[in-house]
Amino acid sequence: MLSGIYVPLITPFDESGAVAYAALEKLAASVLDQGAAGLVALGTTGEPSALSAAERRTVVEICGEAARSYGAQLIVGDLELVEGATAALVTVPAFVRPGERGVIAHFEHLAERSQVPLVIYHIPYRTGQPLTASVLRRLGEHPMIAGVKYATGSVDQDAVALLGEAPSGFSVLTGDDVYLSPMLALGASGGILASAHLHTSSFVSMAASWDRALGHRLAAISATLFAEPNPTVLKGVLHAKGLIPTPDVRLPLVPATAESVARALDWGA
């Protein structure tokens, strides 16, 4: 079972535009020191499509070494780079909209050929393909499908239905940071949360022992961090705190405005 808080690490850049690998190592150690159950390398927050193949490999190596040294788990968002990983994070194919039967066939095909278990990344507002609770239950019965990162933009009826009767051994991890508290209350086992770069120990405490007041506070902070495209505000805050050398992102993303960063800091990020 995957449980607890997993941090999908950003990819920090230095003043020359190169990946700041030393800063990445420090970020990984920081969140694991604070109790994160694991890291996600090459998730959306890490801007993987803007990285070269060599950069992606090095990012995974650094995250893998950090996870091993802490006895933590590693989820990788690239099926070609999963050696030593706990699981692979895989989205529904974007733009294709293959229908539910096509989605089931696609994931079962991947699962039967994967070196590691899969975590389905269910994010229909990006992929264009919603999945019902019944489809996720069907997929969750496959021995090589370990769970779902559930990020529908709401706590919807399918989330309630899935969490009410999830397959044995199938983990439901929230991927919408602001909905961590209600998803935990419904029975989610944790979350894959970009916001957990900050106040990691508080997110870990939430996952371990649901606290409504803490949940409201963390949700408010998370909302400010997603005021502009992820991870631009998050990088701005991490830079303001001296945790990464620059707030830079790579195109097509552009840095967050100073106003959004200041607002996040004012809210306690």
Side-chain angles (χ1 to χ4, degrees):
M1 286 289 290
L2 301 170
S3 63
I5 298 299
Y6 297 79
V7 182
L9 288 176
I10 64 157
T11 303
F13 303 118
D14 64 21
E15 291 80 0
S16 73
V19 177
Y21 293 115
L24 179 63
E25 289 178 11
K26 290 180 180 178
L27 283 175
S30 174
V31 300
L32 293 172
D33 272 334
Q34 295 180 69
L39 307 172
V40 179
L42 305 181
T44 307
T45 305
E47 302 174 69
S49 62
L51 303 180
S52 69
E55 288 171 334
R56 290 196 295 273
R57 282 194 300 272
T58 304
V59 165
V60 172
E61 289 169 2
I62 288 171
C63 292
E65 179 58 35
R68 284 190 295 275
S69 66
Y70 281 85
Q73 295 176 325
L74 175 66
I75 300 173
V76 177
D78 188 329
L79 278 170
E80 302 299 320
L81 296 172
V82 295
E83 185 175 353
T86 305
L89 183 65
V90 186
T91 66
V92 175
F95 301 105
V96 180
R97 299 181 69 181
E100 292 185 345
R101 291 192 303 115
V103 168
I104 291 169
H106 171 73
F107 279 116
E108 289 180 343
H109 174 83
L110 292 179
E112 288 159 10
R113 288 157 180 78
S114 178
Q115 301 174 50
V116 297
L118 305 183
V119 175
I120 297 167
Y121 190 178
H122 179 34
I123 184 165
Y125 51 86
R126 292 196 181 194
T127 66
Q129 177 68 64
L131 301 180
T132 62
S134 62
V135 167
L136 290 169
R137 283 197 204 99
R138 161 79 179 270
L139 290 168
E141 291 170 357
H142 195 291
M144 286 295 287
I145 298 179
V148 59
K149 177 181 178 182
Y150 200 92
T152 62
S154 66
V155 180
D156 56 17
Q157 183 57 45
D158 280 304
V160 175
L162 176 63
L163 286 163
E165 193 178 351
S168 176
F170 183 73
S171 300
V172 179
L173 301 167
T174 182
D176 288 315
D177 300 38
V178 297
Y179 297 126
L180 174 63
S181 181
M183 288 290 281
L184 289 172
L186 287 169
S189 59
I192 298 176
L193 307 173
S195 301
H197 280 80
L198 303 161
H199 305 288
T200 311
S201 59
S202 293
F203 281 99
V204 170
S205 295
M206 266 294 298
S209 180
W210 180 67
D211 181 319
R212 185 172 61 182
L214 177 59
H216 285 309
R217 182 170 70 84
L218 293 174
I221 292 172
S222 294
T224 69
L225 294 173
F226 285 85
E228 297 188 35
N230 185 48
T232 61
V233 179
L234 173 59
K235 279 191 162 184
V237 171
L238 291 170
H239 175 61
K241 289 178 173 288
L243 297 174
I244 57 175
T246 73
D248 295 347
V249 290
R250 288 182 179 172
L251 291 172
L253 294 174
V254 294
T257 61
E259 292 78 10
S260 289
V261 174
R263 190 175 303 114
L265 289 166
D266 287 343
W267 270 94

